[in-house]
Amino acid sequence: MADIADPGGKRVTAKILLVEDNEMNRDMLSRRLIRRGYEVVMAEDGQAGVELALSEAPDLILMDMSLPVMDGWDATRKIKSDTSIGTTPVIALTAHAMAEDREKALAAGCDDYDTKPVELPRLLEKMERLLGTSSG
């Protein structure tokens, strides 16, 4: 499920950058993603998230929006403005479930939006759509 095809047709594991400051959320979500075959790298704040996005070149970023040092909106804007990583899909993860929060995340450059607590089947569907994979 977590495989993507490289240009040579070989299957490779998708690398996910999880930017989440809450240790319990980070641990729970990373373990569930790893169990499904994803490679997961993690950052605890927005600045570290931007730095890891540049150094690790993930296939997809899961971005908490309420982060220390640099919030998820600013981190996403920085990532999306960088030509080397700007096309990397970003899914906003937030406990803020109001319509204006979704619009704010999309305006910052997020490709999709999901609310906390995370419902894994719904999140995986969004991830697979953005990665161009399917669970079938």
Side-chain angles (χ1 to χ4, degrees), residues 1-120:
M1 173 192 329
D3 291 344
I4 55 176
D6 74 4
K10 182 178 82 173
R11 302 302 282 173
V12 293
T13 302
K15 184 188 294 186
I16 308 301
L17 171 57
L18 174 59
V19 187
E20 169 64 67
D21 63 323
N22 181 288
E23 184 179 359
M24 192 168 70
N25 290 346
R26 198 171 53 245
D27 181 61
M28 179 273 306
L29 188 51
S30 66
R31 284 189 293 125
R32 293 171 85 184
L33 291 172
I34 290 167
R35 213 171 18 240
R36 281 163 178 79
Y38 291 100
E39 178 184 347
V40 179
V41 291
M42 294 178 276
E44 297 180 20
D45 64 65
Q47 181 62 46
V50 171
E51 292 166 7
L52 277 175
L54 287 164
S55 66
E56 294 289 329
D59 298 300
L60 184 137
I61 300 168
L62 298 175
M63 180 74 72
D64 181 18
M65 301 318 278
S66 299
L67 293 166
V69 183
M70 178 188 299
D71 67 36
W73 292 283
D74 287 339
T76 299
R77 280 191 278 273
K78 273 187 134 23
I79 289 166
K80 290 297 188 170
S81 70
D82 189 290
T83 56
S84 65
I85 56 171
T87 59
T88 304
V90 177
I91 298 177
L93 297 179
T94 180
H96 304 285
M98 303 298 285
E100 57 267 17
D101 295 312
R102 182 180 192 282
E103 296 310 313
K104 184 177 177 184
L106 296 176
C110 293
D111 298 277
D112 209 332
Y113 172 93
D114 206 49
T115 56
K116 294 180 186 176
V118 170
E119 290 181 23
L120 194 62

